[in-house]
């Protein structure tokens, strides 16, 4: 399954924030990296590790929620509720169309952005609006770190509404039984 540049940039950002355990770098905002990030983490930490090709389907289906459609691939799960963020893939052999979020209980999938960094910045921004003053300042620190990382790299557009997302919205191939907002 191919992964876009933003997937690897997100891992770099997590490794910068938490060098000893990048998968929990965003636990402050309530998200844990799972699935493909776990496999990438193993590949980076253990020389020679490669995922077993016999388990490819199982690895791609890890951390799926009951109401997730087959196109949804989970990358982050909330440690507080059923919310999760992942790629929306039209086909497993194609690059992801965009990043979605799912509350996990009402079958409504929301478009979070054109890439993971955009989706994550949007998630933190929404959490800041609902947080107390001290909680919001902690979230702002994380948000600023991610924004700074995006500016330094400069090769992934992390704006909420960008040309890439607008272009992808016109490439919808088929409607789904789930609601996408």
């Amino acid at each position: 399954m191919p992964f876009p540049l933003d997937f690897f940039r997100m891992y770099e950002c997590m490794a910068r924030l938490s060098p000893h355990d990048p998968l929990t770098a965003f636990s402050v905002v309530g998200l844990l990296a799972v699935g493909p990030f776990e496999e990438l983490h193993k590949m980076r930490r253990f020389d020679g590790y490669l995922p077993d090709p016999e388990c490819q389907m199982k690895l791609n289906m890890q951390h799926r929620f009951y109401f997730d459609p087959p196109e949804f691939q989970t990358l982050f799960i909330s440690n507080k509720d059923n919310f999760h963020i992942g790629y929306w893939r039209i086909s497993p052999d194609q690059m992801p169309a965009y990043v979605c979020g799912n509350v996990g209980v009402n079958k409504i999938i929301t478009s979070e952005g054109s890439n993971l960094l955009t989706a994550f910045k949007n998630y933190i921004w929404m959490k800041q609006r609902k947080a107390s003053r001290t909680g919001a300042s902690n979230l702002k620190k994380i948000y600023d770190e991610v924004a700074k990382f995006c500016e330094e790299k400069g090769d992934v557009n992390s704006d909420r509404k960008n040309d890439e997302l607008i272009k992808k919205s016109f490439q919808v191939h088929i409607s789904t039984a789930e609601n996408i907002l």
Side-chain angles (χ1 to χ4, degrees), residues 1-4 6 64 67-75 84-102 107-116 119 165 168-169 171-181:
M1 215 177 253
F3 286 91
D6 66 286
R64 286 183 52 83
F67 289 113
D68 284 350
E71 296 89 354
F72 194 92
Q73 181 183 26
T74 305
L75 299 172
H84 50 291
I85 294 176
Y87 283 134
W88 184 267
R89 291 182 179 269
I90 300 195
S91 172
D93 58 344
Q94 293 179 357
M95 286 292 203
Y98 48 89
V99 178
C100 296
N102 189 347
K107 299 184 192 178
I108 295 178
I109 296 172
T110 56
S111 171
E112 300 292 331
S114 61
N115 61 60
L116 281 173
L165 185 60
K168 287 178 180 180
S169 69
Q171 295 176 342
V172 175
H173 294 289
I174 189 166
S175 296
T176 177
E178 310 295 330
N179 296 325
I180 298 181
L181 302 174

Side-chain angles (χ1 to χ4, degrees), residues 7-163:
F7 175 78
F8 299 100
R9 290 291 186 239
M10 180 59 101
Y11 184 82
E12 285 178 38
C13 183
M14 293 186 306
R16 180 185 287 183
L17 292 172
S18 179
H20 298 295
D21 191 8
L23 301 177
T24 61
F26 298 133
S27 60
V28 173
V29 297
L31 291 177
L32 302 172
V34 295
F37 279 117
E38 292 170 325
E39 294 303 313
L40 178 60
H41 181 66
K42 289 176 193 173
M43 290 170 68
R44 297 272 170 103
R45 294 286 183 205
F46 306 112
D47 289 337
Y49 174 81
L50 287 173
D52 184 6
E54 298 287 323
C55 301
Q56 189 67 34
M57 184 59 79
K58 178 182 173 274
L59 293 173
N60 291 329
M61 304 292 271
Q62 279 184 330
H63 301 286
R64 286 183 52 83
F65 285 69
Y66 184 75
F67 289 113
D68 284 350
E71 296 89 354
F72 194 92
Q73 181 183 26
T74 305
L75 299 172
F76 288 98
I77 58 173
S78 171
N79 59 7
K80 296 181 174 132
D81 54 23
N82 286 331
F83 181 76
H84 50 291
I85 294 176
Y87 283 134
W88 184 267
R89 291 182 179 269
I90 300 195
S91 172
D93 58 344
Q94 293 179 357
M95 286 292 203
Y98 48 89
V99 178
C100 296
N102 189 347
V103 178
V105 291
N106 58 4
K107 299 184 192 178
I108 295 178
I109 296 172
T110 56
S111 171
E112 300 292 331
S114 61
N115 61 60
L116 281 173
L117 294 162
T118 301
F120 190 75
K121 283 174 62 180
N122 185 51
Y123 177 78
I124 296 174
W125 183 77
M126 294 297 285
K127 290 283 254 188
Q128 274 182 288
R129 292 178 55 204
K130 297 176 184 174
S132 66
R133 188 171 294 205
T134 55
S137 66
N138 291 338
L139 292 171
K140 177 136 178 53
K141 288 177 189 173
I142 296 284
Y143 182 91
D144 290 343
E145 286 290 326
V146 173
K148 180 181 171 189
F149 178 83
C150 292
E151 285 177 23
E152 285 175 8
K153 294 299 178 181
D155 54 4
V156 177
N157 187 350
S158 65
D159 295 336
R160 171 70 177 116
K161 201 71 157 165
N162 57 39
D163 294 338

